[in-house]
Amino acid sequence: MDRKEEIKKRIQEARKRQMFTVDEYVGGIVKGDRMILAKAITLIESYKEEHQTIAKEIIDKCLQIKSQSLRIGITGTPGVGKSTFIESLGMHVLRKGKKIAVLAIDPTSQMSHGSILGDKTRMEELSHQENAFIRPSAAGTSLGGVARKTREVMILCEAAGYDTIFIETVGVGQSEVAVHSMTDFFLLLLLPGGGDELQGIKRGIVEMADAIVVNKSDINPVLAKQSKKAYRNAVHLFPQKESKWVVKTLMCSALQNEGIDAVWQTILNYQDLTIQNDYFHQKRQQQSDYWFKQALQQGLEQLIKNHPQISQEMKLLKQQIFQGKMSPFAAADKIISLLK
Ligand code: GDP
């Protein structure tokens, strides 16, 4: 029996048992088995310790599988047309022979199941395509936790052969920073409506964008064109990007599939430029470093929280800080000395 057949047989047996070993999960993921991929993602999203242990092993093994992926972040306020745009661009990319995964970081997902990005009817056409995998945002108590899980899910999707990853978020704050920290290209969707629109969006978010795309250009093409110009003038005032990429402003109608190819071409041009000048690779390294530090920080916080003696000391020190008896810095030093 060759290796492929062996994996297939083991998966069939495991299906009956409703349980998989790490190797079976990884084998199934690599084979492109969507059911196993979805099950493995459920483990990542679970907060049970035994699930987390298996999930970590799966992620580590999936990281060994080399994949050439392109990670695209998309943001914009609710109603700007993100899901319509991802559906339109996604279908376009599928026709080019790609396999796509659509993930989301939704800061509201911890509050309710009816979160901003959670609507089941979104991306109807895309969700029926064999080469598209759509997963709503993980739920969690902190944005950091949700973002980390999304990054891990992305690693699994890449091991499963999804070479184009879309990560969507909603323009309501810190979640853009999280998406930017795990994607190669960052796209801001806006509505037509004069350059003033940019004033309402945090400057930091606009500065992160590699492309600004004015959607719904079918409603008022003249206004859309004016907005595109105004946005272009505004972004030209920003300093040059480390990537040496000049931010592009485009317009499209996601609903009517107009201007979508130009958006895709722009993304490919960015990829070409940054692979050539090595920024693509450098940025991924910077991102890994960022996630390493994030994970370390989260782990240390957890360690302190779960340590009875240290957490007790923390409470006492906090009181002393509040009473003005100790500076926050001296208190932090005291905790650190307990860890040594
Ligand atoms: P999201 O909240 O950003 O994901 O926005 P949706 O994709 O759900 O779109 C919100 C509404 O705008 C829906 O009714 C869409 O049909 C509509 N819409 C999206 N893109 C376009 C477009 O290019 N032109 C027009 N006329 N409507 C659009």
Side-chain angles (χ1 to χ4, degrees), residues 225-239:
K225 222 172 182 174
Q226 282 171 0
S227 311
K228 190 182 87 157
K229 258 194 180 162
Y231 296 144
R232 195 186 58 206
N233 292 340
V235 295
H236 276 185
L237 299 174
F238 291 159

Side-chain angles (χ1 to χ4, degrees), residues 15-293:
R15 267 207 177 115
K16 281 186 206 145
R17 302 197 301 273
Q18 289 286 303
M19 263 180 66
F20 298 95
T21 64
V22 169
D23 281 344
E24 284 165 350
Y25 273 115
V26 177
I29 290 169
V30 173
K31 223 177 99 253
D33 187 320
R34 296 163 69 109
M35 189 276 283
I36 294 188
L37 174 63
K39 275 191 182 244
I41 292 176
T42 310
L43 292 179
I44 290 181
E45 289 173 349
S46 163
Y47 281 88
K48 280 193 186 152
E49 215 173 304
E50 73 252 40
H51 291 166
Q52 282 295 304
T53 309
I54 308 175
K56 272 183 201 144
E57 284 185 49
I58 298 172
I59 295 161
D60 268 352
K61 292 209 165 171
C62 283
L63 263 178
Q64 316 291 319
I65 296 153
K66 289 277 158 270
S67 73
Q68 294 276 326
S69 67
L70 180 60
R71 305 165 177 170
I72 302 155
I74 292 173
T75 190
T77 46
V80 68
K82 287 181 298 304
S83 55
T84 315
F85 176 79
I86 293 173
E87 170 130 299
S88 181
L89 181 60
M91 290 303 293
H92 183 79
V93 175
L94 281 181
R95 285 192 286 271
K96 304 269 173 202
K98 301 278 181 195
K99 263 183 98 171
I100 67 168
V102 182
L103 312 176
I105 292 186
D106 183 347
T108 59
S109 64
Q110 61 257 40
M111 296 171 205
S112 70
H113 289 295
S115 53
I116 296 177
L117 298 175
D119 186 358
K120 290 247 165 28
T121 58
R122 304 170 90 241
M123 301 176 214
E124 186 78 42
E125 195 182 0
L126 209 53
S127 63
H128 291 108
Q129 304 301 315
E130 203 186 319
N131 285 334
F133 182 81
I134 304 178
R135 185 87 187 180
S137 175
T141 48
S142 71
L143 172 63
V146 174
R148 177 183 167 159
K149 284 176 191 294
T150 307
R151 192 172 194 268
E152 292 172 340
V153 170
M154 176 170 78
I155 290 163
L156 263 54
C157 288
E158 290 177 349
Y162 295 95
D163 51 23
T164 310
I165 315 283
F166 293 104
I167 305 185
E168 172 190 14
T169 194
V170 71
V172 290
Q174 280 297 305
S175 58
E176 278 85 1
V177 178
V179 172
H180 184 253
S181 70
M182 62 178 88
T183 50
D184 306 310
F185 187 91
F186 195 67
L187 188 151
L188 172 62
L189 265 192
L190 291 174
L191 291 173
D196 291 351
E197 187 107 347
L198 278 186
Q199 317 271 307
I201 296 173
K202 283 201 192 102
R203 189 188 157 111
I205 295 173
V206 181
E207 278 189 338
M208 280 191 285
D210 297 303
I212 292 181
V213 181
V214 180
N215 188 33
K216 306 199 185 183
S217 65
D218 56 297
I219 297 176
N220 185 342
V222 176
L223 181 64
K225 222 172 182 174
Q226 282 171 0
S227 311
K228 190 182 87 157
K229 258 194 180 162
Y231 296 144
R232 195 186 58 206
N233 292 340
V235 295
H236 276 185
L237 299 174
F238 291 159
Q240 197 193 33
K241 285 187 169 267
E242 206 186 324
S243 58
K244 303 279 186 291
W245 170 254
V246 180
V247 179
K248 296 284 179 297
T249 43
L250 299 138
M251 61 187 223
C252 76
S253 164
L255 198 66
Q256 318 236 320
N257 279 315
E258 283 164 14
I260 298 298
D261 185 48
V263 173
W264 182 237
Q265 272 311 319
T266 299
I267 296 173
L268 293 182
N269 290 346
Y270 173 90
Q271 189 186 26
D272 284 348
L273 174 85
T274 53
I275 284 178
Q276 257 173 40
N277 68 17
D278 203 41
Y279 180 76
F280 193 91
H281 176 65
Q282 287 167 23
K283 189 176 178 188
R284 288 237 175 149
Q285 278 189 341
Q286 283 168 15
Q287 290 175 339
S288 296
D289 187 47
Y290 169 83
W291 285 98
F292 170 49
K293 285 174 185 152

